[in-house]
């Protein structure tokens, strides 16, 4: 029997298909569901109102990450503005018998950091979470569906999602990746080439030798920013590195069950002749460290480049957008990116807060001091990452350099707690969004890799980490 | 269950900017409580100054548009964060329909679940509606007719918008999507049973221990 060649995405999706709905959408089974405090309270209220129960509490976990304080030694009450949602998360989880990893639990952390870390997200699974960066788990070869609160309620009540099937798209990274270039630079470059709507409606598979060479943690960074491409999700076919990463984690299969799982996971690769509606090729050999200069992730350039001049754009809408972004950011057309002074350096977020990210940044700052007027923050993605970093002595390196060493949470990426950038101040951040007001009213954000943020913190301005290292 | 919607009549505000993100639609400061009046926070970053006073030149602060029922937006409206509060804010402000050449995926799905009509329009329709809105400066009524998937300008011109027919029907009935899905309960249970049998490793014993209250 001839079998149609299919993509890794198709294989996983088809294995989860419960029903085809009359309106053209697919009803898919959700293997794993992760809750966080800012997008679940209304979902539980809805369940209560309609008299429905959580169908499969064992397939859901909950944590507190968005609004939780990241002050050293914090507890649930440290940030009073967060108390209502934190209390609701805990009480709702307890009432529904959902495992809850709150600030008092050693497993607490950012949803997209702890889901892989706990072995809760598995290759070939569908994982839902009320957060757009759920695509992160694609780095393990899982389908991460970022959804709204009504869909969180839908998953709780039915363990399914009704979704429009995304189209297949592939982004291949070819060529040799230079020294000092991180996964963040690869995905930011893709952003620059494809734009923030470039992946809309698509499941994006990242492939090519540069992706295969990445560690699992770096792959999580790549898939994390799929939503910034406008994609429905992103994924990387699992391989031996993935299987080794999953092994031994708390909720991962063990022993003979693990072996059988790996047999299944090996099949989750796109077939040779699988058809992608769109194929994009990115040449890694030409990628310099990337920094955003504007107010959307596609406003990105290499560190050797300059802030664009709106006058050079013929499309009026584009021109106006760029002019407005440059104005908001307090920059001048044509000025070099290197040398832009910064006030804050933030290392953290679901994009870049894993142990390898902290290790890379620590190597840059080791034995040095951050510039006098810069506030530096390091916020580990989870308490587990924090413990591992402390075991390696990274906290001492950061503290000696003048960085704050904080507790796990989303912190200055979403800035819904007290971790905000002051009005008009400029922050270089390892996070994922540089929107107007994202890090606080009138905050200005430049996105970059952990080593680039570390280098900027030392210099007091945006700088090429490759030169910092030589010098 | 959402409130059934068939037609919407009112002033149309225009937001001629591409890639409007959900952080702009509802800034995170409005998300600290489960019970905030999200309508007040709609476009908060652009609508208020740092003291919390309304900026008079922002479109939704100008008299006719304070009562806007329809929003005409540009490409990729609602990109970024998955926050459904972006839709709640629009609805609580009084917007019943957003028309745009394209929507970000998650926003589009969130809209349906709150009875917000998200109508897709051709770029030419966007231009025509924008011109019509500017010609009337907000003083006249636009009408959204969901059964025919069309928008009628104050001058009586009729422009189509795209919405999957079955989803328009669901909006007109005010369907409860969870109830609809639960009609597939036997299929869901069958899938779960089969997955458990074929891929037992997906449901390890460690997961079965749920939180003790």
């Amino acid at each position: 029997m001839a079998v149609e060649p299919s993509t890794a995405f198709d294989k996983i999706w088809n294995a989860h298909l419960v029903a085809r709905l009359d309106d053209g959408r697919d009803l898919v089974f959700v293997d794993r569901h992760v809750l966080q405090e800012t997008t679940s309270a209304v979902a539980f209220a809805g369940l209560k109102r309609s008299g429905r129960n959580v169908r499969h509490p064992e397939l859901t976990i909950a944590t507190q990450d968005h609004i939780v304080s990241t002050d050293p030694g914090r507890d649930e009450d440290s940030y009073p503005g967060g108390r209502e949602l934190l209390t609701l998360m805990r009480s709702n989880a307890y009432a529904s018998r959902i495992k809850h990893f709150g600030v008092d639990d050693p497993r607490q952390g950012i949803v997209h950091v702890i889901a892989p870390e706990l072995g809760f997200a598995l290759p070939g699974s569908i994982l839902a979470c009320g957060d757009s960066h759920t695509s992160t788990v694609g780095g393990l070869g899982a389908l991460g569906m970022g959804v709204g609160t009504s869909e969180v309620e839908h998953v709780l009540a039915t363990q399914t999602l009704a979704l429009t099937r995304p189209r297949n798209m592939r982004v291949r990274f070819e060529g040799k990746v230079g020294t000092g270039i991180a996964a963040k630079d690869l995905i930011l470059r893709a952003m620059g080439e494809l734009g923030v709507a470039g992946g809309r409606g698509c499941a994006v598979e990242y492939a090519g030798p540069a992706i295969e060479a990445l560690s699992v943690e770096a792959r999580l960074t790549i898939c994390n920013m799929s939503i910034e491409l406008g994609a429905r999700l992103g994924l990387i076919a699992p391989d031996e590195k993935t299987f080794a990463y999953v092994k031994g984690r708390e909720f991962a299969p063990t022993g003979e069950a693990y072996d059988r799982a790996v047999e299944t996971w090996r099949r989750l690769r796109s077939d040779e002749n699988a058809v992608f509606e769109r194929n994009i090729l990115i040449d890694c050999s030409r990628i310099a460290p990337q920094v955003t200069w504007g107010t959307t992730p596609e406003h990105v350039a290499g560190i050797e480049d300059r802030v664009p001049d709106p006058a050079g754009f013929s499309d009026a809408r584009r021109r106006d957008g760029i002019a407005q972004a440059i104005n908001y950011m307090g920059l001048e057309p044509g000025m070099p990116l290197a040398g832009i002074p910064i006030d804050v350096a933030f290392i953290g977020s679901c994009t870049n807060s894993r142990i390898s990210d902290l290790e890379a940044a620590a190597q840059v700052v080791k034995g040095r001091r951050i510039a006098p007027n810069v506030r530096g923050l390091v916020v580990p993605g989870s308490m587990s990452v924090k413990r591992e970093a402390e075991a390696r002595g990274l906290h001492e390196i950061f503290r000696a350099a003048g960085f704050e060493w904080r507790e796990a949470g989303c912190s200055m990426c979403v800035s819904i707690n007290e971790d905000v950038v002051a009005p008009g101040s400029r922050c270089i951040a390892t996070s994922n969004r540089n929107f107007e007001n994202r890090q606080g009213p009138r905050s200005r954000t430049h996105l970059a890799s952990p080593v680039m943020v570390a280098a900027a913190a030392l210099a007091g301005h945006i700088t090429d980490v490759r030169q910092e290292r030589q010098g | 269950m959402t409130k059934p919607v068939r037609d919407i009549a009112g002033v149309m505000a225009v937001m001629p900017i591409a890639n409007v993100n959900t952080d702009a639609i509802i800034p995170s400061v409005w998300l600290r409580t489960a019970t905030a009046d999200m309508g007040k926070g709609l476009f908060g970053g652009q609508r208020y100054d740092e003291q919390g006073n309304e900026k008079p030149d922002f479109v939704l602060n100008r008299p006719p548009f304070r009562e806007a029922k329809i929003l005409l937006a540009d490409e990729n409206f609602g990109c970024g964060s998955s926050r459904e509060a972006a839709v709640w804010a629009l609805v609580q402000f009084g917007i019943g329909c957003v028309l745009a050449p394209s929507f970000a995926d998650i926003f589009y799905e969130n809209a349906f679940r709150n009875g917000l009509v998200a109508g897709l329009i051709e770029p030419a329709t966007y231009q025509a509606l924008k011109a019509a809105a500017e010609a009337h400066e907000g003083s006249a009524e636009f009408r959204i007719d969901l059964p025919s998937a069309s928008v009628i300008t104050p001058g009586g011109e009729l422009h189509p918008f795209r919405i999957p027919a079955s989803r328009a029907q669901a909006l007109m009935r005010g369907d409860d999507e969870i109830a609809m899905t639960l009609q597939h309960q036997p299929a869901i249970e069958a899938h779960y049973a089969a997955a458990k049998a074929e891929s037992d490793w997906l449901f390890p014993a460690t997961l079965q221990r749920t939180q003790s209250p």
Side-chain angles (χ1 to χ4, degrees):
Chain A
M1 191 179 89
V3 180
E4 284 282 302
S6 53
T7 65
F9 164 77
D10 290 328
K11 293 176 188 184
I12 302 172
W13 186 273
N14 293 343
H16 289 80
L17 189 61
V18 171
R20 289 251 151 83
L21 303 179
D22 296 339
D23 61 13
R25 287 181 300 164
D26 285 349
L27 190 68
V28 296
F29 193 80
V30 173
D31 304 311
R32 298 287 189 272
H33 186 204
V34 188
L35 298 171
Q36 51 102 342
E37 73 277 22
T38 64
T39 54
S40 60
V42 172
F44 280 102
L47 281 184
K48 198 170 190 178
R49 205 170 40 242
S50 52
R52 292 178 179 128
N53 292 323
V54 177
R55 188 83 202 169
H56 283 287
E58 78 284 7
L59 300 181
T60 296
I61 60 171
T63 191
Q64 301 171 323
D65 60 358
H66 275 64
I67 207 167
V68 74
S69 166
T70 62
D71 280 346
R74 56 88 195 273
D75 61 24
E76 218 177 85
D77 295 322
S78 300
Y79 171 58
R83 209 174 282 154
E84 178 189 339
L85 292 175
L86 292 169
T87 306
L88 281 170
M89 182 72 272
R90 182 165 39 79
S91 59
N92 284 327
Y94 277 32
S96 297
R97 302 181 63 80
I98 290 166
K99 286 178 278 293
H100 180 254
F101 309 137
V103 291
D104 52 349
D105 192 287
R107 294 165 290 189
Q108 181 268 343
I110 305 174
V111 278
H112 317 306
V113 175
I114 68 169
E117 188 175 87
L118 294 170
F120 189 68
L122 293 177
S125 64
I126 290 188
L127 182 146
C129 176
D131 190 284
S132 63
H133 289 104
T134 307
S135 58
T136 309
V137 298
L140 294 173
L143 304 186
M145 306 300 314
V147 295
T149 297
S150 294
E151 287 174 294
V152 168
E153 182 181 344
H154 192 277
V155 176
L156 288 170
T158 70
Q159 205 58 37
T160 63
L161 279 170
L163 298 166
T164 302
R165 185 184 182 115
R167 302 186 303 277
N168 282 292
M169 172 169 164
R170 181 167 56 189
V171 180
R172 280 184 69 83
F173 290 86
E174 304 267 6
K176 191 171 159 35
V177 180
T179 325
I181 307 303
K184 182 67 159 285
D185 299 311
L186 304 189
I187 193 65
L188 282 174
R189 191 62 244 136
M191 218 67 68
E193 299 196 7
L194 290 165
V196 294
R200 203 175 46 233
C202 292
V204 179
E205 180 175 343
Y206 304 97
I211 295 294
E212 287 161 27
L214 293 176
S215 71
V216 170
E217 292 197 349
R219 294 175 187 182
L220 295 169
T221 298
I222 297 277
C223 290
N224 172 269
M225 290 191 79
S226 301
I227 183 70
E228 273 65 54
L229 289 171
R232 201 64 190 83
L233 62 92
L235 81 159
I236 293 168
D239 60 11
E240 296 304 321
K241 285 185 208 174
T242 322
F243 311 148
Y245 173 94
V246 170
K247 194 171 188 175
R249 296 184 182 269
E250 182 172 353
F251 299 113
T254 54
E256 182 257 346
Y258 169 83
D259 297 337
R260 278 186 288 114
V262 169
E263 283 313 302
T264 308
W265 297 340
R266 278 188 213 286
R267 296 196 286 269
L268 302 177
R269 307 188 70 79
S270 292
D271 296 330
E272 199 68 35
N273 302 316
V275 179
F276 292 88
E277 275 185 47
R278 280 186 80 192
N279 263 298
I280 307 291
L281 193 68
I282 291 178
D283 179 4
C284 297
S285 66
R286 291 169 50 202
I287 299 180
Q290 303 285 304
V291 189
T292 64
W293 47 264
T295 54
T296 165
E298 71 181 43
H299 289 162
V300 66
I303 183 64
E304 293 141 345
D305 294 336
R306 291 165 181 270
V307 174
D309 186 344
F313 293 83
S314 52
D315 178 65
R317 250 177 9 179
R318 192 99 196 276
R319 187 168 60 230
D320 294 349
I322 289 172
Q324 195 193 324
I326 293 172
N327 178 52
Y328 178 87
M329 292 297 288
L331 302 173
E332 297 294 331
M335 75 191 284
L337 289 177
I340 296 172
I342 55 136
D343 306 299
V344 182
F346 169 59
I347 298 174
S349 89
C350 56
T351 312
N352 281 127
S353 64
R354 298 174 186 83
I355 190 67
S356 52
D357 299 315
L358 304 193
E359 184 75 67
Q363 292 315 313
V364 174
V365 304
K366 192 171 188 174
R368 303 181 64 182
R369 288 284 302 172
I370 61 176
N373 298 321
V374 171
R375 180 185 176 198
L377 299 86
V378 183
V379 185
S382 71
M383 292 311 280
S384 168
V385 169
K386 182 167 185 260
R387 283 190 302 277
E388 174 62 21
E390 289 177 352
R392 297 186 190 188
L394 304 185
H395 63 313
E396 301 292 2
I397 294 172
F398 285 119
R399 279 192 189 135
F403 277 95
E404 297 170 28
W405 178 248
R406 303 180 69 88
E407 309 282 358
C410 300
S411 187
M412 211 177 254
C413 172
V414 69
S415 291
I416 185 170
N417 65 4
E418 292 165 308
D419 302 345
V420 296
V421 172
S425 289
R426 187 181 302 284
C427 176
I428 186 163
T430 62
S431 49
N432 43 57
R433 290 191 173 130
N434 52 342
F435 299 152
E436 289 185 12
N437 308 308
R438 170 78 177 182
Q439 296 187 290
R442 292 207 293 118
S443 59
R444 292 160 169 163
T445 309
H446 296 270
L447 304 176
S449 76
V451 291
M452 282 291 284
V453 172
L458 298 175
H461 54 79
I462 295 173
T463 186
D464 190 338
V465 66
R466 297 171 299 183
Q467 286 162 17
E468 283 290 314
R469 273 177 171 165
Q470 287 161 7
Chain B
M1 181 85 192
T2 59
K3 220 170 91 195
V5 51
R6 287 189 70 82
D7 44 64
I8 296 155
V11 168
M12 181 168 80
V14 184
M15 190 152 285
I17 305 160
N19 303 315
V20 169
N21 63 68
T22 54
D23 270 82
I25 299 173
I26 185 84
S28 66
V29 291
W30 296 86
L31 309 180
R32 288 175 182 148
T33 159
T35 51
D37 179 353
M38 302 284 177
K40 280 191 187 146
L42 180 67
F43 293 109
Q46 294 158 71
R47 209 163 129 206
Y48 306 107
D49 64 20
E50 272 165 60
Q51 285 72 47
N53 303 310
E54 285 185 6
K55 291 184 190 171
D57 56 337
F58 184 68
V59 59
L60 298 182
N61 289 333
R62 302 212 305 265
F65 303 108
R66 300 178 76 91
E67 312 297 327
K69 297 269 189 294
I70 303 161
L71 183 67
L72 178 67
D74 206 339
E75 294 279 359
N76 200 29
F77 185 78
C79 64
S81 161
S82 62
R83 57 187 67 171
E84 194 162 325
V87 172
W88 301 336
L90 287 161
V91 170
Q92 287 175 24
F93 180 87
I95 303 287
C97 172
V98 183
L99 298 168
S102 59
F103 293 93
D105 297 328
I106 304 177
F107 177 90
Y108 186 71
E109 284 300 322
N110 287 342
F112 280 106
R113 291 169 173 83
N114 292 278
L116 177 68
V117 178
L120 287 159
I121 50 175
E122 295 302 317
T125 307
Y126 169 80
Q127 294 301 342
L129 289 174
K130 187 163 168 272
E134 280 158 5
H136 293 280
E137 247 309 291
S139 58
E141 221 174 63
F142 283 72
R143 231 159 46 73
I144 301 291
D145 184 59
L146 193 50
S148 65
S150 48
V151 47
I152 299 118
T153 68
E157 290 170 56
L158 195 139
H159 297 276
F161 62 83
R162 279 175 290 128
I163 186 167
S166 52
R167 300 199 79 173
Q169 295 287 340
L171 283 171
M172 288 188 271
R173 290 189 301 259
D175 278 352
D176 171 354
E177 185 158 281
I178 294 177
M180 306 292 283
T181 295
L182 289 172
Q183 292 174 6
H184 295 275
Q185 192 61 37
I188 298 170
E189 286 308 315
H191 175 93
Y192 177 62
K196 252 185 138 167
E198 285 163 32
S199 317
D200 61 332
W201 48 264
L202 190 53
F203 308 98
T206 42
L207 273 188
Q208 303 304 322
R209 290 197 299 269
T210 58
Q211 188 94 40
S212 315

